[in-house]
Amino acid sequence: MTETATVPEFAVVSGAQVHQVLDGAEKQLAELIEAAYRLHGQQATVNPPSYFLRFPDRPSARIIALPASVGGEVAVDGVKWISSFPENVRTGLPRASAVLILNDQATGYPLACMESSIISASRTAASAALAADWLSRRGERPRRLGFVGTGLIARYVHRFLLGTGWDFDETAVFDLSAEHAAGFRGYLESTGASGIAVRESAEELIRGSDLIVFATVAGEPHVHDPAWFSHNPLVLNVSLRDLSTEVILASANVVDDVEHCLKANTSVHLAEQATGGRDFLDGTLFDVLTGALALDADRPLVFSPFGLGVLDLAVGKHVLDELRRRGELHEVGDFFFELDRYGQR
């Protein structure tokens, strides 16, 4: 007798629902991201290269597919499909939009289609906050925070830093757009941040900050002078392409995944091309989490996270499970229709 498999229900999860689950859960999400990094480091994930769809008539735009699979208690496959259209900012729209598809590991059937710009921003910010915590253990905890770039990702990173127990004496911002810098200052004021300042240049911000977050849309390096980092700050290189090879080579360097980070002309990829090797890399965040890598405080420390699809799946599965637990999952009962090989049912 042929065994009959059960087709899972398919759900559609809106951005409003994602926000409802994730808002205020920064500490829990940082712990979830740490667990996902540990699974990845233990080779309990599959995370192939990201796939870039580019457009000859729109060179600044791209859409990226991040397929992945996570084992352990997460136990889900899927893909994030995320677009980056920097020109959106001029019209008041966010740069990025995304969906996440989760697949059942037993049947391969899709479980859900989820709005994923919030998931993506949350996992990026949780990763940054997690790295800031672990990498700052090399010395005195930073008290002066600086943001280069003041968009949605910067806002989420700041929120996750606060939500995971950070507080700062000063918070500085720099953006090429005075309007965007002023808007971010307004956001900071609404959080009760102290010592808020808008800097006139990236150099001024970098020299005056102990923890620096790069969250720009830069396509190539624009920060070239290692002397700006002579005070050995911790740098969260979230946007990946701001720092020149000279700055990278003058710093200690930690990445989330070596093979993923050294691609697509990231700052660390450019350093590999310039040197012909990877000796400038000190290790991965997993190495830090497990104690395999100890970092001293006598150089700037740069963390470059390419962003792994397994992190999106871990957060997405958490949202799906939580909505199901609350009885708030919107399932599409007749989404799968042709389910009989011979059309008899």
Side-chain angles (χ1 to χ4, degrees):
M1 181 177 179
T2 303
E3 183 179 350
T4 301
T6 301
V7 176
E9 294 292 338
F10 181 78
V12 176
V13 179
S14 70
Q17 288 185 299
V18 173
H19 173 77
Q20 183 183 33
V21 172
L22 299 184
D23 188 39
E26 291 83 11
K27 188 174 185 299
Q28 180 184 10
L29 287 173
E31 293 169 352
L32 186 151
I33 291 300
E34 179 176 343
Y37 272 128
R38 290 183 183 276
L39 283 173
H40 185 64
Q42 294 160 3
Q43 300 184 333
T45 65
V46 180
N47 205 110
S50 302
Y51 297 90
F52 288 72
L53 176 61
R54 298 187 183 275
F55 315 97
D57 59 330
R58 291 160 285 160
S60 68
R62 65 183 186 270
I63 307 179
I64 313 170
L66 286 78
S69 175
V70 186
E73 294 183 358
V74 180
V76 74
D77 307 328
V79 61
K80 179 173 73 171
W81 182 240
I82 181 166
S83 66
S84 175
F85 279 53
E87 296 302 314
N88 283 352
V89 176
R90 296 185 180 183
T91 63
L93 287 176
R95 171 187 60 86
S97 60
V99 294
L100 179 69
I101 303 295
L102 300 182
N103 291 77
D104 175 49
Q105 290 196 330
T107 65
Y109 272 77
L111 296 169
C113 177
M114 317 177 73
E115 197 285 329
S116 195
S117 67
I118 297 171
I119 290 173
S120 186
S122 296
R123 67 84 152 143
T124 299
S127 168
L130 177 71
D133 178 27
W134 281 85
L135 297 177
S136 65
R137 299 179 188 187
R138 64 177 184 155
E140 187 176 347
R141 198 167 172 90
R143 300 296 306 173
R144 301 179 299 169
L145 173 63
F147 286 93
V148 180
T150 56
L152 181 142
I153 295 299
R155 173 163 60 85
Y156 266 73
V157 170
H158 181 261
R159 197 184 93 197
F160 270 77
L161 288 171
L162 295 187
T164 52
W166 286 81
D167 64 277
F168 301 95
D169 298 328
E170 301 176 11
T171 304
V173 300
F174 169 73
D175 197 289
L176 292 175
S177 166
E179 178 184 356
H180 295 164
F184 197 75
R185 176 174 188 147
Y187 154 72
L188 290 173
E189 290 171 346
S190 74
T191 69
S194 59
I196 303 169
V198 176
R199 302 303 186 196
E200 295 298 320
S201 67
E203 177 182 1
E204 183 184 2
L205 181 137
I206 291 165
R207 288 186 181 274
S209 302
D210 306 313
L211 175 59
I212 303 160
V213 181
F214 283 94
T216 75
V217 294
E220 58 186 28
H222 58 94
V223 175
H224 298 276
D225 191 347
W228 295 4
F229 302 84
S230 60
H231 55 303
N232 301 330
L234 171 57
V235 180
L236 303 180
N237 185 28
V238 176
S239 43
L240 290 171
R241 295 172 178 84
D242 301 85
L243 304 177
S244 71
T245 294
E246 292 78 13
V247 173
I248 292 295
L249 297 181
S251 305
N253 288 278
V254 175
V255 298
D256 57 353
D257 182 281
V258 174
E259 295 302 325
H260 284 79
C261 250
L262 272 67
K263 288 182 179 176
N265 288 331
T266 62
S267 292
V268 287
H269 186 207
L270 293 177
E272 179 190 32
Q273 295 174 53
T275 63
R278 299 177 173 182
D279 292 343
F280 61 91
L281 289 181
D282 291 77
T284 66
L285 184 57
F286 178 72
D287 295 330
V288 177
L289 295 176
T290 58
L293 175 63
L295 296 160
D296 55 42
D298 63 355
R299 285 189 295 167
L301 175 54
V302 177
F303 175 59
S304 299
F306 194 79
L308 303 175
V310 297
L311 305 183
D312 296 281
L313 293 190
V315 176
K317 183 62 163 26
H318 167 72
V319 171
L320 188 72
D321 290 344
E322 180 62 18
L323 289 173
R324 181 178 288 114
R325 185 190 69 80
R326 297 178 184 182
E328 298 174 358
L329 201 58
H330 300 319
E331 295 178 337
V332 184
D334 57 354
F335 187 83
F336 301 112
F337 183 69
E338 281 283 2
L339 296 177
D340 184 79
R341 184 177 183 131
Y342 305 107
Q344 295 180 9
R345 73 171 190 268

